[in-house]
């Protein structure tokens, strides 16, 4: 089988090389990684661009040793070929689609990978967890024109289960249906905003086709997109998987200094499935989204601010003056 990735050394490429011409269509079924000591203008046709320059301009990612990083990404792509290739294909195609259509595309790919060998292998080696549901997984508070929505399963760091998804959809429907609500604040109770999908439920659905229909019909991401200009997401602690994928839809994202962002799905044999391939590229571009998802690296609040994934880094307000923040205690 052909390698699922290709690394192109842009420092030694011919002067007349056209990345778009050489990487598409021959490499549309591979992850195309470009490496350069310094950023160049030749960026079309690449899925990830790495450079040794700190804090380079978008779409580049700065790292201490870009060639070593490229090899590490290649190793990940080798071990999770189906998910890695599906990831970059969805990101490439999504650029020409509306947000609702991007969500459908993502869900189709996600459901396909759910039936794949890599995800089943990951499930088989992952200890099973006991599901710990909440009677009210999402808390809704209305104060005049302000609506506060709080994820409320702090004992599992607000892990995103089906009940939380459904309750969040119901809460967001209120904001979508009521134009008199001028501000929507999205919080997470406890030590973390959201630690991602609830692993106690992973793999429990044996019908990926049905799961796709449910995912599209009950989509918090689609609802967030509809009311995004009015939404501020307040991040703190772990923002993993769905935690950042959904927050990125908000018109404004404020992160506490302890915020840590990560997309771990490729390591499970999947791709982001809560809307991340639709929301995050709008903020950071598809190349940096691909890097985050393929590498699974942790992104600090300050790094996320530099990238534009969050809009502000701010210490959490004094709970005595902000009742919603008191929920975080």
């Amino acid at each position: 089988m052909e390698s699922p990735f290709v690394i192109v050394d842009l420092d030694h490429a011919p002067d007349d090389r056209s990345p778009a011409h050489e990487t598409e269509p021959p490499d549309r079924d591979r992850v195309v990684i470009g490496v350069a000591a310094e950023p160049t203008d030749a960026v079309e046709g690449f899925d990830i661009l790495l450079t040794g320059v700190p804090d380079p301009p978008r779409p580049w990612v700065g790292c201490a040793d870009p060639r070593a990083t490229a090899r590490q990404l290649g190793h990940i792509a080798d071990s999770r070929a189906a998910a890695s290739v599906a990831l970059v294909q969805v990101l490439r195609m999504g650029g020409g689609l509306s947000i609702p259509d991007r969500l459908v595309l993502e869900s189709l790919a996600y459901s396909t990978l759910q039936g794949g060998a890599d995800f089943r292998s990951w499930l088989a080696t992952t200890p099973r967890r006991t599901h710990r549901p909440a009677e009210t997984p999402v808390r809704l508070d209305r104060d005049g024109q302000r609506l506060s929505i709080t994820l409320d399963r702090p004992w599992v760091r607000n892990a995103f289960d089906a009940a939380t998804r459904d309750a969040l959809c119901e809460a967001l429907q209120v904001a979508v249906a009521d134009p008199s609500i001028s501000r929507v604040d999205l919080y997470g109770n406890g030590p973390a905003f959201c630690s991602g999908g609830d692993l106690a439920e992973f793999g429990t659905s044996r019908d990926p086709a049905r799961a796709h229909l449910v995912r599209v019909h009950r989509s918090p991401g689609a609802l967030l997109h509809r009311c995004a200009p009015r939404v501020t997401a307040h991040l703190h602690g772990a923002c993993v998987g769905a935690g950042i994928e959904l927050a990125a839809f908000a018109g404004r994202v404020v992160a506490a200094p302890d915020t840590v962002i990560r997309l771990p799905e490729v390591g499970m044999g999947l791709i982001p499935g809560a809307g991340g391939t639709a929301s995050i590229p709008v903020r950071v571009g598809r190349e940096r989204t691909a890097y985050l998802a393929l590498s699974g690296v942790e992104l600090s609040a300050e790094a996320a601010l530099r990238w534009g994934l969050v809009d502000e880094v701010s210490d959490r307000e004094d709970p005595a003056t902000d009742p919603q923040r008191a929920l975080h205690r």
Side-chain angles (χ1 to χ4, degrees):
M1 180 179 175
E2 185 181 41
S3 172
F5 74 97
V6 58
I7 299 174
V8 179
D9 189 338
L10 293 172
D11 292 331
H12 298 93
D15 292 340
D16 61 349
R17 182 183 183 279
S18 171
H21 172 73
E22 291 200 7
T23 62
E24 294 180 0
D27 289 319
R28 64 174 47 150
D29 58 349
R30 293 200 287 177
V31 181
V32 184
I33 305 170
V35 178
E38 296 184 0
T40 71
D41 293 332
V43 297
E44 270 195 71
F46 291 97
D47 297 304
I48 298 173
L49 288 155
L50 305 173
T51 180
V53 175
D55 297 327
R58 175 172 155 179
W60 295 83
V61 174
C63 45
D65 188 337
R67 287 166 181 78
T69 300
R71 291 192 294 271
Q72 292 171 359
L73 293 175
H75 176 73
I76 294 169
D78 263 335
S79 64
R80 292 289 186 262
S84 300
V85 172
L87 169 73
V88 297
Q89 289 174 334
V90 167
L91 290 172
R92 292 172 195 159
M93 295 172 66
L97 301 176
S98 67
I99 293 296
D101 286 344
R102 290 188 195 189
L103 290 170
V104 174
L105 174 63
E106 175 187 278
S107 181
L108 286 167
Y110 188 91
S111 286
T112 298
L113 293 167
Q114 277 186 313
D118 286 342
F119 178 57
R120 292 298 162 190
S121 175
W122 179 84
L123 273 180
T125 58
T126 300
R128 300 308 300 167
R129 291 171 167 81
T130 301
H131 185 222
R132 300 169 64 191
E135 183 176 347
T136 307
V138 175
R139 183 176 301 161
L140 195 63
D141 295 292
R142 177 80 181 262
D143 182 9
Q145 295 180 320
R146 177 181 176 183
L147 182 69
S148 295
I149 300 172
T150 304
L151 306 180
D152 199 16
R153 296 178 70 215
W155 54 88
V156 287
R157 289 174 167 75
N158 298 317
F160 207 71
D161 62 358
T164 301
R165 176 202 63 207
D166 292 345
L168 182 57
C169 282
E170 291 179 10
L172 291 169
Q173 285 281 13
V174 174
V176 169
D178 188 348
S180 71
I181 296 174
S182 61
R183 175 173 175 176
V184 180
D185 289 289
L186 183 59
Y187 297 99
N189 185 16
F193 175 75
C194 176
S195 59
D198 193 331
L199 298 184
E201 286 191 344
F202 263 49
T204 56
S205 173
R206 296 297 174 181
D207 188 344
R210 175 64 181 170
H212 162 67
L213 295 177
V214 171
R215 196 178 300 113
V216 171
H217 179 65
R218 300 175 189 167
S219 174
L223 292 168
L224 279 165
H225 173 64
R226 291 175 62 184
C227 59
R230 294 179 282 156
V231 179
T232 298
H234 301 265
L235 311 184
H236 70 285
C239 295
V240 180
I244 187 59
E245 296 175 54
L246 294 174
F249 281 107
R252 183 164 181 78
V253 180
V254 179
D258 67 346
T259 300
V260 177
I261 292 167
R262 189 164 65 90
L263 294 175
E265 292 92 345
V266 169
M268 305 172 184
L270 300 171
I271 64 171
T277 65
S279 62
I280 297 176
V282 173
R283 286 182 163 268
V284 307
R286 71 172 178 86
E287 296 89 352
R288 286 181 169 180
T289 303
Y291 170 76
L292 281 177
L294 187 61
S295 67
V297 298
E298 291 185 350
L299 197 67
S300 68
E302 289 295 339
L305 178 65
R306 291 194 297 271
W307 280 21
L309 188 50
V310 305
D311 302 298
E312 179 186 352
V313 175
S314 175
D315 286 313
R316 285 187 262 163
E317 292 91 340
D318 183 351
T321 60
D322 189 336
Q324 289 303 318
R325 288 300 195 185
L327 293 171
H328 293 157
R329 300 183 67 181

